Amino acid sequence: MKDYSDFFTFAVYKKSLPKEVTKEELVQLEKLFSDMKKAEKEENYEEMERIYEAMDNITRPYELANWQPEPFEEFINEAAFAEKNIVIKAQDKEQLKTLYSNWIKYVKENKTDEASENIDKIFTILEPYYQELYPPLTFEEYMADMNVDLTKEELAKLKTIYEEAQKAEKDKDEELAMKKWDEFYEILRPHFKPVPFEEYMADIEFSISNADYAKLKQHYEEAVALEQKGEDEKAGEQWEAFYKVLDPYYEANREILISPSKLTFNGQDFTPEPETN
């Protein structure tokens, strides 16, 4: 069976390259591309990443030279501050302009660390404006769509924990925030009604043998029961077993669907590469 990746030949890849790439670099890229395809078939993802970086080292300087960053005003207005009548202070705006110019400079010079530092500073300055644009939900708003029956005592406890979690997030205390959210959902967990197995499987569009269907149902129901008890590690084992049974069906279905002899893209026809031993 042919996969869509078979249509992604070097000839197709070459069309996306900057026109400034030299003939010598094209030879290097073709060799790297061939190595990439080999590593992909072997599912050697570490090697694929290494090869991708080598290819990127060749093409990135040309891409950066051709890169036209958007003007500062367009960049800053993407978050729709103006539409919500949120005015950025003049002092902040001047600082943001400087940081944005520096970010462009460092990106063009391929100085990743310096570019990241400047963009981080930009979003640190913008954070209070984002909070104004997207204010955190109140406890009542957060709970509005949850179809759970809770006692007054549970609601009061949840509200306290929710507000503590929000404060921890605002204070950037990630460890405390995570702890509070764990406490929050530990109270909620027993109240969630699991989706019946048959409903969970309703969107599956391919046939499953009776024996495998029975196995899937067993793993699913055990995973759900363990999750409700808070035994997430054991539940994870059941989910792993569940998908070990189900994944071959997805794979077989994918191979049936993805087996064309020709792919037409942008008016051009591409055929899969011939298989080589």
Side-chain angles (χ1 to χ4, degrees), residues 22-37:
T22 66
K23 290 182 180 178
E24 292 78 10
E25 288 169 332
L26 273 176
V27 172
Q28 294 176 50
L29 286 167
E30 187 166 12
K31 172 66 169 61
L32 288 166
F33 188 90
S34 176
D35 292 343
M36 171 83 83
K37 297 287 258 185

Side-chain angles (χ1 to χ4, degrees), residues 72 96-106 118 122:
F72 172 74
L96 286 165
K97 278 183 183 177
T98 301
L99 289 167
Y100 187 69
S101 296
N102 289 342
W103 174 70
I104 291 171
K105 174 178 176 291
Y106 289 128
N118 276 267
I122 285 173

Side-chain angles (χ1 to χ4, degrees), residues 143 145-151 155 158 188-193:
M143 296 295 294
D145 294 329
M146 289 198 187
N147 187 23
V148 289
D149 294 322
L150 298 162
T151 65
L155 273 172
L158 282 170
L188 274 179
R189 195 194 305 267
H191 296 280
F192 287 131
K193 294 177 182 177

Side-chain angles (χ1 to χ4, degrees), residues 149-188:
D149 294 322
L150 298 162
T151 65
K152 288 182 180 179
E153 292 77 11
E154 286 173 325
L155 273 172
K157 192 170 184 181
L158 282 170
K159 184 171 184 177
T160 299
I161 296 170
Y162 179 83
E163 290 171 352
E164 289 171 346
Q166 292 282 6
K167 184 178 185 304
E169 287 181 352
K170 190 175 181 181
D171 295 342
K172 299 192 182 302
D173 190 338
E174 293 180 10
E175 188 176 341
L176 179 58
M178 191 176 297
K179 180 184 174 185
K180 289 298 172 184
W181 283 119
D182 285 344
E183 289 177 17
F184 186 88
Y185 280 100
E186 195 63 33
I187 295 171
L188 274 179

Side-chain angles (χ1 to χ4, degrees), residues 198-212:
E198 290 74 16
E199 188 178 332
Y200 186 83
M201 298 291 288
D203 292 333
I204 299 291
E205 296 179 351
F206 43 82
S207 298
I208 297 172
S209 73
N210 290 337
D212 283 342

